[in-house]
Amino acid sequence: MRITLKSMLAATAGLGALAAGTPGLAQAQAADDQAAAESNGLQEIVVTARRREEKAQTVPIVMDVFNQQALAQQDIREAQELSHNTPGLTIVSSYRGYATNVFLRGVPGVITYFDEVPSTLAGGAFYFDLDSVQALKGPQGTLFGLNADAGAILFQPKRPTDDFEGYGQFTVGDYGRHEVQAVVNLPVVADKLSVRAGID
């Protein structure tokens, strides 16, 4: 087999053209991936797992996060419904829905916080007008005041804003379900004092 100078130059030119076209293909693929992510509704999730607001992707803690929209879509209104939607979370409730034992990954010792204050996981009161619910899995330190062997569940209520706003809704359903909710946000002193009140 004889290789001539002409065939070597043709092969080199072909490889050069292929290499020059590769970045364009990679950029087109990246643009397609970004467009697909935007069309799927992917959004940035902000959590307070380390007592400051940061992206969920940068927090080195295994967690499940439900924002207000996810809580409404999955109809999470009490402790048992939260356990059905959170892998590894088991809640044993007593009469009237109050949690007596909370387990994460089968380990007892879960501490629940409402607005960074240790509290009990009540049946329905904690699932009203929430900004997010974060289930932190694994041992937790004393960042919020108490250490936990199994994990922690953070309930973050909606904060008052400087806008006059609110909502009201009435829900009825099977098995005698009826629910009335109303929330109003009042700016009292601009940029200094706002009040948010609600009834469930």
Side-chain angles (χ1 to χ4, degrees):
M1 179 176 178
R2 295 181 66 186
I3 300 175
T4 63
L5 180 62
K6 186 176 182 182
S7 62
M8 285 178 55
L9 288 174
T12 305
L15 288 174
L18 181 63
T22 303
L25 291 174
Q27 291 172 353
Q29 181 65 36
D32 290 343
D33 292 344
Q34 182 178 3
E38 290 174 357
S39 67
N40 288 336
L42 296 178
Q43 58 183 341
E44 185 177 283
I45 300 172
V46 177
V47 297
T48 57
R50 294 194 292 181
R51 213 164 186 177
R52 63 177 184 265
E53 291 188 356
E54 54 190 336
K55 297 178 187 176
Q57 294 87 345
T58 63
V59 179
I61 300 172
V62 178
M63 69 177 107
D64 290 302
V65 182
F66 301 92
N67 60 12
Q68 188 180 37
Q69 182 180 4
L71 291 169
Q73 285 178 346
Q74 298 179 34
D75 198 27
I76 298 175
R77 296 175 288 115
E78 59 183 30
Q80 291 300 326
E81 291 162 356
L82 178 64
S83 69
H84 295 158
N85 288 278
T86 305
L89 176 63
T90 304
I91 299 175
V92 180
S93 297
S94 63
Y95 180 64
R96 295 185 182 172
Y98 288 94
T100 54
N101 293 302
V102 183
F103 302 85
L104 268 169
R105 296 173 170 172
V107 180
V110 178
I111 297 178
T112 58
Y113 297 88
F114 183 78
D115 199 15
E116 300 184 3
V117 177
S119 186
T120 58
L121 189 64
F126 281 56
Y127 298 87
F128 167 63
D129 197 34
L130 288 176
D131 188 47
S132 68
V133 177
Q134 304 165 41
L136 313 180
K137 299 177 180 179
Q140 305 296 317
T142 58
L143 189 63
F144 292 98
L146 297 172
N147 66 322
D149 296 331
I153 301 176
L154 311 179
F155 293 87
Q156 293 295 333
K158 293 287 280 185
R159 304 281 184 203
T161 64
D162 290 326
D163 299 321
F164 176 73
E165 60 185 6
Y167 72 88
Q169 67 182 33
F170 178 69
T171 306
V172 293
D174 294 338
Y175 305 105
R177 178 180 176 185
H178 55 279
E179 185 177 8
V180 178
Q181 290 184 356
V183 172
V184 63
N185 191 93
L186 298 170
V188 179
V189 179
D191 296 328
K192 292 185 179 178
L193 178 62
S194 297
V195 176
R196 187 176 185 91
I199 186 170
D200 182 26

